[in-house]
C-alpha cells in the first residue's frame, strides 16, 4: 500500500471516529502490515499544520480536534453549549478526580456537607465518573473514580495531566 | 482588642472589608458550599493564619453569621454541627494543659487538616473548570461514516466446502455414487469453461475450444469435457461438409 | 477575510459538527459578510477530491462523510465477527463446485430437498457462482458453475486445487 493511500485511510478513520482511536487499533485499518503507524500519524499531523483541526493524543488514543483559534467561529454557530457546572458539582468532581477511588462519605467528609444524589447522577450521566468497586465496610459503599471519557473530554492523556494541586505553602511558612 | 495572631504577631484591628451588611447575608450564605467554605472565607477575609487560627475570633465571627442566617431561613444542620465543633475546640484550648498531655495534638489540628484539604479541592475545582472542554472550548472531528451498511459477508475456507460435501455423501442420498477424483473434476471444470466461451457466441469452431499451449493432458481433458457436454445434450456438434470444420454451439430446444 | 481563512473555518465547522449544517447557518460562522457560501462550499468540495471524505448536501444541510470505498477499512476497526453460511448454502456451493455445471434440479436431487432461490441468489450476489448455460431439456434449466472470483476468494488457482475427495464408495461402504 502506498503511503498516500495509507494516509487517506488513517485520516478518514480519525475524522469519522466518535471516540479516540488507540494506537494499537489503528494498524487494523490496513490489510497489509504497516511499518510504522507512528510515522504515518506524524505525517498526518504535518499535513494538518495551518488548518483548523489538529491531531492530538488523549487518554483513549488519537483524534482530531479544532484548534483554539477556531473557537470564536464555532461559538457563533453553536447556540447550545455544555452547561457550566455548579460549584458543588465541580468540587465533587475534583475530589473524585484527585482522591479516587472515593466513597460518597469521603466526599462529604472533605466538603463538610452532604452530597446530593443528583450531583453524582449528573456526573455519571456525563460518563465522567463510574463505580469501580465497593469499600469493604458495613454498607459496602460504592467507590467512585473518573473515566477515560472524562480525560478525553478534557483532552488529557492521563490523570497526571490534571492541574497540580496547590501546595499548602502556609504549612511550610 | 486582639483579633488575630499571625506568626506570633498580634493583630489588633479588623480589616474594614470584613463587614457584610446583614441584608446581603442571605445571598452570601447561598454562595457558600458549606461550613468549611464559610470558615475558609472568614479565615481568608480576616487574614488569619490557617495554621494558627484564633479560635476566639473565628468562632465569634462564625456564630454571628449563622445567627443572622438562622433568623432568615432554615440553616443546614452541617452549619450548626460546625458551630458546636468550634466551641468545643475553643473550650479545649482554654483548659490548662497538664504536663503529661504536652504530647497531645493541638485541638485545632483536625479542623486545620480538613480546612487545608477542602481548600485544595476547592481550588482544584476552579482549575478543572478552567480546563478546555470538548463542545465548549474545542470540538472533536465527527464526520459521518458513509457507505451503505452492508452486512458482513461470511468467511469461507476450503475445509467448510469439503465438510459440506462429505456430509452430503455420508447422507448417502445419491442414487449412484459419483466418482470424484482430480480428473473428473478437471473435466467438469472444462465443461463449465466451454459453456462460458459459448455464452457469447452463436457457435465456435472446434479448434477454438482447445488451447494447445497447455499440453496433451489438458487437450484430452478438454476433449472429454466436450464429449460429456454433447452426451448431456448441453452442446451440439455439427459439420457442414465431410471433413470440413466442426462447429460447436449451445444446444437449442428443437 | 481572505478566502483561505474562510475555507479553513468552513472546513473546521463541517468536520466537527454532529449534524449537517444548514446553508443559512454556515454564513453565521463569519464576522464579515461572505459573498457566496455556495462558492466556498464548491471550493471546499474540490479540495477534498481524491480524499477519504466527501462534502455532501443532505436534507439537513451540508456535512462531510466518508466515501463508500472507505467503508471496508473503517469496518476493520470495528472487528465484527463475520456470520457463517448455513449448512444448506455450504452444501449447495459444494455441489456446484464439485459437480459443475449443474442445474438446480441436480442440486435438489443430490441434497434430497428443494433448494431455495435465496441460496442461489446469495451465492450469485457474492459472485461465487454464475449461470454458464442451459440444459436442453424441457424448461431449459440454468446450469450453474463456480467463478474465478470463487477461486480467488478461496485462494485457489484452479478447481483442481479443491481437496480431492475420498471415494464416495468407501464412505458409503
Amino acid at each position: 500500500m502506498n503511503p498516500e493511500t495509507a494516509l487517506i485511510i488513517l485520516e478518514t478513520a480519525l475524522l469519522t471516529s466518535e471516540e479516540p482511536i488507540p494506537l494499537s487499533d489503528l494498524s487494523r485499518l490496513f490489510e497489509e502490515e504497516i511499518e510504522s503507524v507512528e510515522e504515518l500519524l506524524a505525517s498526518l499531523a504535518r499535513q494538518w499544520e495551518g488548518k483548523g483541526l489538529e491531531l492530538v493524543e488523549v487518554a483513549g488514543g488519537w483524534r482530531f480536534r479544532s484548534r483554539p483559534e477556531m473557537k470564536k467561529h464555532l461559538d457563533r454557530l453553536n447556540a447550545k453549549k455544555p452547561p457550566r457546572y455548579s460549584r458543588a458539582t465541580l468540587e465533587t468532581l475534583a475530589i473524585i478526580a484527585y482522591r479516587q477511588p472515593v466513597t460518597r462519605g469521603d466526599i462529604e467528609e472533605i466538603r463538610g456537607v452532604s452530597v446530593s444524589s443528583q450531583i453524582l447522577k449528573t456526573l455519571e450521566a456525563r460518563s465522567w465518573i463510574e463505580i469501580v468497586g465497593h469499600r469493604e465496610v458495613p454498607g459496602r459503599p460504592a467507590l467512585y473514580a473518573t473515566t477515560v471519557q472524562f480525560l478525553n473530554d478534557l483532552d488529557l492523556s492521563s490523570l497526571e495531566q490534571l492541574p497540580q494541586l496547590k501546595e499548602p505553602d502556609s504549612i511550610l511558612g | 482588642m486582639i483579633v488575630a495572631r499571625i506568626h506570633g504577631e498580634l493583630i489588633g484591628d479588623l480589616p474594614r472589608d470584613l463587614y457584610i451588611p446583614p441584608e446581603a447575608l442571605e445571598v452570601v450564605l447561598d454562595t457558600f458550599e458549606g461550613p468549611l467554605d464559610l470558615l475558609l472565607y472568614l479565615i481568608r477575609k480576616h487574614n488569619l493564619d490557617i495554621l494558627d487560627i484564633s479560635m476566639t475570633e473565628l468562632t465569634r465571627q462564625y456564630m454571628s453569621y449563622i445567627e443572622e442566617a438562622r433568623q432568615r431561613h432554615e440553616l443546614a444542620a452541617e452549619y450548626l454541627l460546625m458551630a458546636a465543633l468550634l466551641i468545643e475546640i475553643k473550650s479545649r484550648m482554654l483548659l490548662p494543659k497538664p504536663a503529661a498531655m504536652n504530647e497531645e495534638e493541638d485541638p485545632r489540628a483536625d479542623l486545620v487538616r480538613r480546612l487545608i484539604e477542602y481548600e485544595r479541592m476547592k481550588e482544584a475545582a476552579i482549575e478543572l473548570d478552567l480546563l478546555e472542554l470538548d463542545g465548549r472550548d474545542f470540538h472533536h472531528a465527527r464526520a459521518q461514516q458513509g457507505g451503505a451498511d452492508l452486512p458482513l459477508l461470511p468467511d469461507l475456507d476450503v475445509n467448510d466446502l469439503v465438510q459440506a460435501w462429505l456430509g452430503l455423501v455420508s447422507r448417502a442420498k445419491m442414487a449412484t455414487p459419483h466418482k470424484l477424483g482430480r480428473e473428473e473434476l478437471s473435466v467438469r471444470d472444462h465443461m463449465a469453461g466451454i459453456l462460458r466461451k459459448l455464452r457469447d457466441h452463436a457457435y465456435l469452431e472446434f479448434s477454438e475450444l482447445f488451447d494447445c499451449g497447455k499440453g496433451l493432458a489438458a487437450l484430452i481433458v478438454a476433449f472429454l469435457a466436450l464429449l460429456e457436454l454433447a452426451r448431456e445434450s448441453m452442446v451440439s456438434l455439427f459439420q457442414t461438409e465431410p471433413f470440413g470444420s466442426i462447429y460447436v454451439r449451445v444446444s437449442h430446444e428443437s
Side-chain angles (χ1 to χ4, degrees), chain A, chain B:
Chain A
M1 179 173 293
N2 70 56
E4 284 92 70
T5 310
L7 275 176
I8 284 176
I9 294 169
L10 189 64
E11 179 181 73
T12 305
L14 287 163
L15 285 173
T16 57
S17 176
E18 269 165 72
E19 305 286 329
I21 311 178
L23 189 65
S24 54
D25 284 7
L26 284 172
S27 53
R28 282 222 312 269
L29 281 167
F30 311 101
E31 279 129 88
E32 308 153 42
E33 204 68 36
I34 285 288
E35 230 171 89
S36 167
V37 180
E38 285 97 332
E39 256 171 52
L40 280 179
L41 284 166
S43 299
L44 191 57
R46 273 196 302 279
Q47 278 189 5
W48 280 84
E49 274 167 19
K51 305 275 265 171
L53 299 180
E54 60 187 339
L55 186 58
V56 293
E57 188 179 14
V58 293
W62 290 83
R63 78 178 345 173
F64 275 106
R65 53 161 271 184
S66 62
R67 292 182 195 273
E69 59 266 33
M70 287 290 123
K71 177 171 149 59
K72 64 174 188 289
H73 298 285
L74 299 179
D75 279 354
R76 300 167 63 88
L77 199 60
N78 302 303
K80 59 174 196 291
K81 309 184 72 188
R84 287 215 95 95
Y85 288 112
S86 68
R87 266 189 62 195
T89 307
L90 284 168
E91 287 182 9
T92 302
L93 180 62
I95 291 165
I96 297 172
Y98 284 94
R99 297 291 182 239
Q100 58 189 296
V102 289
T103 64
R104 183 164 165 174
D106 296 335
I107 301 167
E108 292 180 338
E109 164 78 14
I110 294 175
R111 295 194 60 232
V113 288
S114 66
V115 170
S116 80
S117 306
Q118 196 46 54
I119 288 181
L120 291 170
K121 275 196 199 119
T122 300
L123 292 170
E124 277 189 288
R126 184 82 199 252
S127 297
W128 278 1
I129 65 168
E130 61 184 341
I131 293 170
V132 291
H134 295 267
R135 185 169 290 157
E136 291 309 323
V137 294
R140 301 189 69 244
L143 285 164
Y144 292 92
T146 54
T147 61
V148 171
Q149 176 88 54
F150 164 73
L151 293 174
N152 286 341
D153 283 355
L154 292 166
D155 249 3
L156 304 172
S157 61
S158 76
L159 278 177
E160 281 150 60
Q161 287 199 331
L162 281 174
Q164 290 265 305
L165 282 183
K166 198 187 110 177
E167 278 304 316
D169 42 4
S170 41
I171 283 174
L172 304 166
Chain B
M1 180 181 73
I2 297 166
V3 288
R5 186 204 327 241
I6 297 173
H7 298 308
E9 191 186 338
L10 301 176
I11 307 290
D13 288 323
L14 278 175
R16 287 291 119 208
D17 64 353
L18 264 184
Y19 180 73
I20 297 168
E23 62 270 20
L25 201 61
E26 222 166 317
V27 180
V28 169
L29 261 182
D30 276 348
T31 71
F32 291 120
E33 283 298 317
L36 287 173
D37 198 24
L38 172 56
L39 280 178
L40 272 178
Y41 170 81
L42 293 172
I43 289 166
R44 294 302 174 199
K45 273 291 178 193
H46 290 217
N47 295 322
L48 296 178
D49 181 356
I50 196 168
L51 292 180
D52 194 15
I53 303 164
S54 159
M55 289 309 297
T56 311
E57 186 53 27
L58 187 64
T59 307
R60 193 185 63 75
Q61 289 275 345
Y62 184 87
M63 297 308 282
S64 72
Y65 271 96
I66 67 164
E67 275 308 317
E68 285 277 356
R70 276 175 76 180
Q71 288 166 21
R72 285 158 200 276
H73 59 90
E74 204 179 341
L75 202 58
E78 290 103 345
Y79 284 91
L80 302 176
L81 209 64
M82 180 57 74
L85 180 70
L86 290 176
I87 291 165
E88 193 219 328
I89 295 171
K90 193 177 98 176
S91 59
R92 275 169 65 197
M93 290 187 72
L94 291 174
L95 293 173
K97 284 180 206 160
M101 288 177 71
N102 266 353
E103 296 290 301
E104 199 196 14
E105 232 184 43
D106 189 317
R108 298 170 298 181
D110 192 52
L111 180 66
V112 168
R113 184 190 56 75
R114 288 184 62 192
L115 282 169
I116 289 173
E117 175 69 357
Y118 176 66
E119 189 173 37
R120 297 177 86 185
M121 290 303 136
K122 186 181 151 179
E123 301 212 348
I126 295 167
E127 292 281 329
L128 273 185
D129 200 31
L130 290 177
L131 289 180
E132 293 196 325
L133 181 62
D134 183 21
R136 189 180 74 198
D137 305 295
F138 62 84
H139 297 261
H140 287 132
R142 314 182 145 83
Q144 198 194 22
Q145 291 202 353
D149 219 4
L150 291 171
L152 273 181
L153 294 173
D155 274 339
L156 179 77
D157 65 39
V158 169
N159 215 33
D160 295 328
L161 219 51
V162 173
Q163 288 310 313
W165 182 251
L166 291 179
L168 278 169
V169 170
S170 67
R171 287 220 304 274
K173 288 284 188 270
M174 283 169 279
T176 44
H178 297 278
K179 272 198 176 178
L180 267 182
R182 199 176 286 276
E183 258 176 36
E184 185 173 350
L185 199 57
S186 181
V187 171
R188 298 239 153 233
D189 191 10
H190 277 79
M191 285 165 72
I194 290 169
L195 287 176
R196 235 178 242 119
K197 278 186 190 167
L198 284 170
R199 197 164 46 183
D200 303 326
H201 300 90
Y203 57 87
L204 284 172
E205 219 241 294
F206 183 77
S207 62
E208 287 179 90
L209 297 172
F210 297 94
D211 184 355
C212 296
K214 285 187 175 166
L216 187 61
L219 281 180
I220 292 169
V221 168
F223 186 63
L224 287 173
L226 190 60
L227 289 181
E228 181 66 18
L229 282 170
R231 193 180 69 79
E232 292 184 21
S233 308
M234 292 191 225
V235 301
S236 41
L237 305 167
F238 59 97
Q239 206 173 18
T240 48
E241 52 182 321
F243 307 108
S245 298
I246 298 170
Y247 294 95
V248 183
R249 71 167 188 213
V250 172
S251 297
H252 293 287
E253 244 176 318
S254 44

